[in-house]
Amino acid sequence: MSFFFICVLALVAGYFVYGKVVERIFVINPDRPTPCCEYRDDCDFIPMATWKVYFIQLLDIAGLGPIFGPILGALYGPSALLWIVFGCIFAGGVHDYMSGMLSVRSKGQSIPEVVGNFMGMSARQVMRVFSVILLLLVGVVFVLGPAKLLGQMLGMNVQLLVGIIFLYYFLATILPISTLIGRLYPIFGALLLFMSIGVVVALVIKGYHIPSLDFAVNTHPGDKPIWPLLFITLSCGAISGFHSTQSPLMARCIQNENRGRMVFYGAMIVEGIIALIWATAGLSFYDNPAAMQSVIAAASPAGVVNEVCNSLLGHVGGFLAILGVVVLPITSGDTAFRSTRLILADAFNIPQVKAAKRLLIAIPLFVIAFVISTQDFAIIWRYFGWSNQTLATLVLWASAIYFAQNQRFHWIATIPAVFMTAVVVSFILQAPIGLNLPAALSNGVGVASGVASLILFLVYVGRCCRNGVPSSPA
């Protein structure tokens, strides 16, 4: 367990050191009015206390991803822990901070509009499609996941629970953000803290440890390769495009730019710690990856959560811990649908102050989501993983372009953007949901795509330096 605590300390240090570097390169302006002050409508644009904004941001982004993803990532071995630490500090934190702060600088616009400001109309349209599809998949996954967990805990009909969760999501989507989300999230946050701390303390007290720290060994029982699958499977907790769709929600509520590092980068760091907890639990709780794989095959990662919580914390503690786990997808599912409403509203220029306008978008949205929810969960999750990381890649490139346009140190966004480009291209070329090409060919083309994207970007940077024209939201 000592390596786990080293990883946690690395993430905390990343917030105070690298997070500050990112903030300085971005160049905040504490005197600049934020969107909640300029465009207050008491529905989506509402000034909120920083602690509340932080909790909402954390619970928005920390869905099933930092639990299910790390459990699945643990099958590959301790390399999952390294990806969480380095991905979170150098990719995920930058991605989340930039998606939030660029939205603050862009009047609280949704992420497709923000990306379009820097990459043009074609990128805006691609982002609109990607974002809506991703958020619908997230919303559906975060209905099915908690419904199955609650069904196991309470012995209730899963379809009934799906209906109840959908009803809550609908209300959270159309009501002012302070009505349900602003009031319930502090309570949900307390459950989240109990779950996280409880699992860690129990692992330590009961003497669990990671059996091997050989990072070169791939322990996946299905012989699935680390590249690129680990970086697609373990997204939330390292880097996740879903986060960029959530950050504009709080960009519309944050009262000062100097709170951005705490809210956006800081929430990513805490999500990374949650991911470390569950990756460590997966690595240490079971005798071998094959044993954990059998539980996953029988009951999805939810089965692992159920076994770990009840075994470590007993029935009462396990019940509370699983409630904490259930909270995470529910508090991301509700804002996933809310974000989708706002993206569509921005795209079609539909004001959202009046309830009738919100219903105009929300009703057909939930009908489509219900139809998707009838499909196979495993297929939905595979498409979610690739679309999620592709969206993250586009946001990183938009961030790099922003820095280049303003003649700032763009490499903090460029390097992770190149890496993620290679990941998503390699994956979609070889995955069964993609072109199903041989791995060697797919990986070669993926790496070449990353290099080519870097060369094209550097040509663009040279043109920006010659023109010396900053972008408007600087």
Side-chain angles (χ1 to χ4, degrees), residues 263-285:
V263 170
F264 301 118
Y265 198 100
M268 179 69 241
I269 292 296
V270 173
E271 187 188 70
I273 293 173
I274 295 170
L276 281 176
I277 291 169
W278 284 100
T280 302
L283 289 167
S284 61
F285 184 80

Side-chain angles (χ1 to χ4, degrees), residues 26 97-106 114 118 398-399 402 473:
F26 180 80
Y97 181 81
M98 292 303 297
S99 61
M101 293 306 293
L102 288 179
S103 179
V104 169
R105 290 284 177 90
S106 302
V114 171
F118 304 104
S399 302
Y402 167 82

Side-chain angles (χ1 to χ4, degrees), residues 9-25:
L9 288 175
L11 287 180
V12 173
Y15 169 76
F16 286 105
V17 178
Y18 199 70
K20 191 66 177 178
V21 170
V22 174
E23 182 183 60
R24 287 181 176 176
I25 294 173

Side-chain angles (χ1 to χ4, degrees), residues 170-187:
F170 183 78
L171 293 174
T173 298
I174 63 172
L175 293 174
I177 196 165
S178 58
T179 302
L180 277 180
I181 292 174
R183 292 177 179 175
L184 292 177
Y185 274 34
I187 300 172

Side-chain angles (χ1 to χ4, degrees), residues 403-418:
F403 286 130
Q405 288 178 344
N406 291 282
Q407 299 184 17
R408 297 173 191 165
F409 189 77
H410 63 79
W411 292 103
I412 60 170
T414 304
I415 292 174
V418 171

Side-chain angles (χ1 to χ4, degrees), residues 32 51 79 101 108 133 144 156 168 184 209 216 222 237 239 241 250-251 288 290 298 343 351 359 361 370 385 433:
R32 183 175 183 146
W51 70 269
S79 55
M101 293 306 293
I133 292 174
L144 297 175
M156 292 178 61
Y168 165 72
L184 292 177
H209 64 279
I239 179 172
M250 292 301 97
N288 53 69
I343 288 172
L359 289 170
I361 297 175
F370 177 77
I433 66 170

Side-chain angles (χ1 to χ4, degrees), residues 189-450:
L191 282 171
L192 169 61
L193 289 175
F194 175 85
M195 176 273 294
S196 303
I197 296 172
V199 170
V200 170
V201 171
L203 285 172
V204 172
I205 291 176
K206 297 190 177 183
Y208 286 93
H209 64 279
I210 300 171
S212 171
L213 289 176
D214 189 345
F215 301 106
V217 175
N218 178 7
T219 61
H220 198 289
D223 293 325
K224 293 184 177 180
I226 290 177
W227 177 274
L229 292 182
L230 174 62
F231 308 100
I232 295 290
T233 302
L234 206 170
S235 54
C236 297
I239 179 172
S240 167
F242 169 68
H243 297 185
S244 68
T245 67
Q246 302 301 287
S247 294
L249 292 178
M250 292 301 97
R252 301 180 185 210
C253 298
I254 196 170
Q255 297 188 57
N256 196 296
E257 288 191 1
N258 61 17
R259 301 291 185 265
R261 180 165 65 101
M262 174 185 172
V263 170
F264 301 118
Y265 198 100
M268 179 69 241
I269 292 296
V270 173
E271 187 188 70
I273 293 173
I274 295 170
L276 281 176
I277 291 169
W278 284 100
T280 302
L283 289 167
S284 61
F285 184 80
Y286 293 93
D287 292 334
N288 53 69
M292 182 168 65
Q293 175 66 21
S294 65
V295 177
I296 294 172
S300 84
V304 173
V305 172
N306 191 48
E307 280 194 2
V308 168
C309 289
N310 281 297
S311 297
L312 294 180
L313 302 172
H315 293 302
V316 175
F319 180 83
L320 292 174
I322 294 173
L323 276 181
V325 173
V326 169
V327 157
L328 291 177
I330 288 178
T331 55
S332 292
D334 55 8
T335 51
F337 285 111
R338 190 179 187 91
S339 297
T340 310
R341 171 177 66 80
L342 293 173
I343 288 172
L344 293 173
D346 285 350
F348 294 103
N349 195 26
I350 302 174
Q352 294 293 283
V353 177
K354 294 183 179 179
K357 297 290 187 180
R358 301 197 290 271
L359 289 170
L360 179 66
I361 297 175
I363 291 175
L365 183 66
F366 274 85
V367 171
I368 295 171
F370 177 77
V371 172
I372 296 174
S373 72
T374 63
Q375 306 305 305
D376 182 73
F377 179 89
I379 294 175
I380 294 173
W381 185 263
R382 287 199 294 270
Y383 278 102
F384 162 72
W386 178 75
S387 58
N388 185 48
Q389 298 305 68
T390 301
L391 182 60
T393 304
L394 292 172
V395 172
L396 285 171
W397 279 120
S399 302
I401 290 171
Y402 167 82
F403 286 130
Q405 288 178 344
N406 291 282
Q407 299 184 17
R408 297 173 191 165
F409 189 77
H410 63 79
W411 292 103
I412 60 170
T414 304
I415 292 174
V418 171
F419 179 83
M420 292 307 300
T421 299
V423 167
V424 297
V425 173
S426 297
F427 177 80
I428 200 63
L429 290 179
Q430 65 187 266
I433 66 170
L435 298 182
N436 205 20
L437 297 176
L441 174 62
S442 301
N443 293 338
V445 174
V447 172
S449 298

